Amino acid sequence: MNKTKRNTCRLVFPAKSVNEGFARAAVAAFAALADPTVEELADLKTAVSEAVTNAVVHGYRDYPGDVTLDLALLEGNLLRVKVRDKGVGIADVKLARQALYTTAGDERSGLGFTVMESFCDKVKVASRPGRGTTVTLEKQIRGRA
Amino acid sequence: MQITREQDALTVFLTGELDHHTARAMRQAADDALRSQKPDVLRLDFSGVTFMDSSGVGLIMGRYKLASSLGAALTVRGLTKRDERIVKMSGLAKLVRFED
């Protein structure tokens, strides 16, 4: 379903962990145009943080590269965030989305996708091994109205 | 971030944004203190945390493992409602004591 875009923004940055915070802040600034509640903004920041961290930790674990964020505010105050990397990709997306599944060791909880799903209305994952991964997050901004 | 010792308990006050990037320094400081001071209880205080994603869960899980291996119990306090929601997705509530 194609919806008219009211506003868009593209950000490209290197997959460095320091940019996880930058990505959250940038998405929050863009989302502010839709007049979200504090809670909606926090949900979005958390979900974006998870998706960008996945790109940094998993996508580009073997070589450096860029993360692209495509932000769109659609009709009806639907916010869409695409987080794209050209990294290693995910062989089994269904498995990767399972709660507590991780390939990154003891300090990673394996909750990234679970958190994204719980804080967004829709989470789509498209991935090809060797080509990269695109995570699309959608959140309906209801605001204070 | 600040670490205080009170009798048998070591309290680590985490501050600022807790993500994959910032967790590294927090983890290192907590582990150094835990190894050198060998308390009976390690307490992670989240009341100064302004943002947290699932890296916070990883931080708790990792400290739980190290504390257990050193014979120390782990308690967690000061989580906001939303951060507690993230932590409870992990099933950690069964292993870790949550204080108000």
Side-chain angles (χ1 to χ4, degrees):
Chain A
M1 188 171 52
N2 282 319
K3 290 193 173 181
T4 317
K5 290 174 185 169
R6 285 168 48 201
N7 200 4
T8 59
C9 173
R10 170 172 285 189
L11 291 162
V12 183
F13 51 85
K16 295 176 184 295
S17 64
V18 70
N19 283 329
E20 293 154 6
F22 165 71
R24 290 195 296 275
V27 172
F30 181 84
L33 300 166
D35 203 21
T37 62
V38 172
E39 190 66 19
E40 287 168 339
L41 212 52
D43 288 354
L44 201 63
K45 284 174 75 176
T46 310
V48 168
S49 197
E50 300 293 352
V52 172
T53 300
N54 274 353
V56 172
V57 173
H58 300 284
Y60 294 115
R61 65 168 185 233
D62 297 334
Y63 47 88
D66 288 337
V67 178
T68 302
L69 292 190
D70 273 303
L71 315 179
L73 180 60
L74 309 173
E75 275 318 314
N77 252 9
L78 184 70
L79 197 76
R80 190 171 66 202
V81 181
K82 282 192 187 185
V83 181
R84 195 171 76 227
D85 71 62
K86 293 185 174 171
V88 295
I90 304 169
D92 187 341
V93 170
K94 208 176 153 193
L95 179 66
R97 288 181 78 147
Q98 276 179 17
L100 305 177
Y101 176 82
T102 183
T103 54
D106 273 359
E107 295 291 333
R108 303 300 313 162
S109 64
L111 287 175
F113 281 119
T114 308
V115 168
M116 287 181 236
E117 284 160 6
S118 123
F119 289 138
C120 292
D121 296 301
K122 206 162 141 187
V123 179
K124 210 172 81 186
V125 184
S127 190
R128 281 174 69 187
R131 298 293 289 275
T133 301
T134 300
V135 174
T136 306
L137 308 170
E138 283 187 7
K139 181 146 185 85
Q140 181 67 53
I141 304 298
R142 292 186 171 81
R144 281 153 286 198
Chain B
M1 192 175 146
Q2 203 191 331
I3 299 178
T4 61
R5 176 79 193 238
E6 205 177 299
Q7 290 164 336
D8 300 328
L10 189 70
T11 305
V12 178
F13 294 91
L14 305 165
T15 52
E17 305 209 325
L18 201 181
D19 65 9
H20 159 252
H21 180 71
T22 61
R24 201 171 313 158
M26 296 182 187
R27 172 169 84 222
Q28 224 146 49
D31 289 359
D32 287 350
L34 189 56
R35 285 202 179 91
S36 63
Q37 301 205 30
K38 298 190 172 50
D40 291 336
V41 177
L42 173 67
R43 185 184 289 134
L44 296 177
D45 188 312
F46 284 76
S47 50
V49 171
T50 54
F51 169 86
M52 189 189 102
D53 63 15
S54 70
S55 305
V57 181
L59 186 85
I60 298 173
M61 285 167 69
R63 307 302 65 68
Y64 170 77
K65 280 184 186 162
L66 181 62
S68 300
S69 75
L70 297 170
L74 180 68
T75 66
V76 170
R77 76 176 180 200
L79 284 169
T80 62
K81 280 238 151 53
R82 77 174 284 112
D83 292 348
E84 196 174 307
R85 191 173 142 202
I86 298 174
V87 172
K88 292 200 165 154
M89 290 175 192
S90 67
L92 263 175
K94 288 179 205 129
L95 304 173
V96 176
R97 231 184 90 222
F98 290 84
E99 295 175 343
D100 285 333

